[in-house]
């Protein structure tokens, strides 16, 4: 119940920020920005949501815990970044447009993720994308305890992305031939954070299905649907995987159907399928101490965990309530606090099922 009430409160908060914004003629998702030609700010708009809050050129002078770098990476389990708020005690709903990069490693001109923030990480490399799912202490990343967060992506309500002007690069795609020093932009990526979890997926634009593998029209149904996974809290692993079935697609009696998330004003009372993670193999596990040697010493943690909401990993009852709950409040196709409440519930359900199996 605490979880549900929290979700309603946060959704209401997020909703106050959702107003009609005109969709730009030069959306972020269409901006081809080679790593060697990154501008100071990739977003030049000033209307509606205002100018880009940070910058994209990041270097040794911007590498500190106040960095406003908005250029992120997903390279390897020991080398990735998360987008999270610049100031303590924030909700994702309130700060979706201004998130900044926090990385596991020095060298990207960003903040460093604090020690103790990463509690379990699974990286899955598939033909079409690299996906990172993690269990986190979100208070160490400036996200207030109990916030179920929402979706950040290269789309956004106005096409400017969340964060506005957020860029994402990787050296993990096959086209890179294992060259760690050559970065390819991912223009299609999705990312959910909140509820002490995150899931990030960078799709390879050179592959045919990037748009659907990194679909961002399903912001209300969280990681369980957008990045089906079997990540385990406390485990740090890298796996190879098949591409997931695009979000919304499911097969009944050999017939493929597509479910679409309804308009924000419409309740999601049920979803006609339960997502399953794509097949994975060759998982290699690591110890976190071996992986993360550059983390910032803790101290930026603000809120102590005062709510039990985050530990209320869902029973199926909770998940159903959350899904139903999201319906009555809902938000636009942008970040939405409720997305994550569902995520958390459904991942919880899924983990329980796995553990029983
Ligand atoms: C380092 O990054 C800052 C912020 O983007 C930029 O103003 C500065 O010119 C950069 N310095 C170099 C040497 O590129
Ligand atoms: C690339 O980086 C990863 C870790 O980030 C490392 O395991 C791998 O050995 C590196 N590859 C090369 C060719 O240096
Ligand atoms: C993950 O495990 C840590 C350490 O046991 C725990 O404190 C945290 O609540 C767990 N996270 C989630 C989301 O269950």
């Amino acid at each position: 119940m605490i979880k549900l009430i929290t979700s309603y409160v946060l959704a209401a908060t997020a909703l106050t920020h959702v107003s009609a914004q005109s969709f730009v003629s030069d959306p972020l998702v269409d901006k081809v920005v080679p790593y060697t030609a990154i501008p100071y700010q990739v977003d030049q708009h000033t209307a509606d949501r205002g100018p880009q809050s940070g910058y994209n050129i990041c270097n040794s002078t911007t590498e500190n815990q106040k960095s406003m770098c908005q250029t992120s990476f997903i390279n390897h389990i020991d080398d990735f970044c998360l987008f999270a708020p610049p100031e303590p005690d924030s909700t994702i709903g309130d700060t979706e447009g201004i998130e900044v990069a926090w990385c596991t490693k020095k060298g990207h001109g960003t903040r460093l993720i604090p020690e103790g923030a990463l509690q379990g990480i699974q990286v899955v490399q598939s033909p079409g994308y690299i996906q990172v799912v993690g269990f986190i202490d979100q208070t160490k990343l400036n996200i207030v305890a109990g916030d179920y967060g929402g979706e950040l992506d290269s789309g956004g309500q106005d096409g400017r992305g969340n964060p506005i002007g957020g860029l994402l690069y990787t050296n993990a795609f096959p086209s890179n031939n294992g060259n760690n020093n050559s970065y390819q932009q991912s223009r299609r990526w999705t990312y959910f954070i909140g509820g002490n979890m995150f899931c990030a997926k960078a799709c390879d634009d050179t592959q045919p299905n990037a748009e659907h593998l990194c679909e961002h029209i399903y912001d209300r149904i969280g990681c369980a649907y957008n990045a089906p996974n079997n990540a385990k809290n406390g485990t740090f692993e890298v796996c190879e995987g098949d591409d997931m079935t695009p979000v919304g697609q499911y097969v009944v009696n050999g017939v493929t159907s597509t479910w679409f998330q309804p308009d924000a004003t419409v309740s999601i009372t049920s979803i006609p399928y339960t997502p399953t993670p794509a097949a994975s193999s060759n998982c290699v596990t690591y110890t976190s101490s071996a992986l993360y040697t550059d983390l910032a010493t803790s101290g930026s943690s603000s809120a102590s965990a005062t709510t039990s909401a985050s530990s209320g990993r869902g029973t199926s009852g909770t998940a159903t309530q959350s899904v139903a709950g999201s319906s009555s409040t809902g938000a636009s196709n942008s970040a939405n606090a409720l997305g994550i409440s569902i995520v958390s519930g459904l991942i919880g359900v899924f983990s329980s099922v796995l553990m029983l199996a």
Side-chain angles (χ1 to χ4, degrees), residues 1 3-4 312-324 341 345 349:
M1 260 344 261
K3 172 187 262 177
L4 199 56
R313 313 265 300 141
T315 62
S316 57
T318 311
T320 306
Q321 285 170 6
S322 298
V323 171
S341 84
V349 173

Side-chain angles (χ1 to χ4, degrees), residues 174-188:
S175 51
N176 219 42
N177 294 319
N179 179 355
N180 279 354
N181 298 316
S182 162
Y183 294 108
Q184 181 181 327
Q185 182 191 14
S186 170
R187 286 181 295 117
R188 296 193 179 273

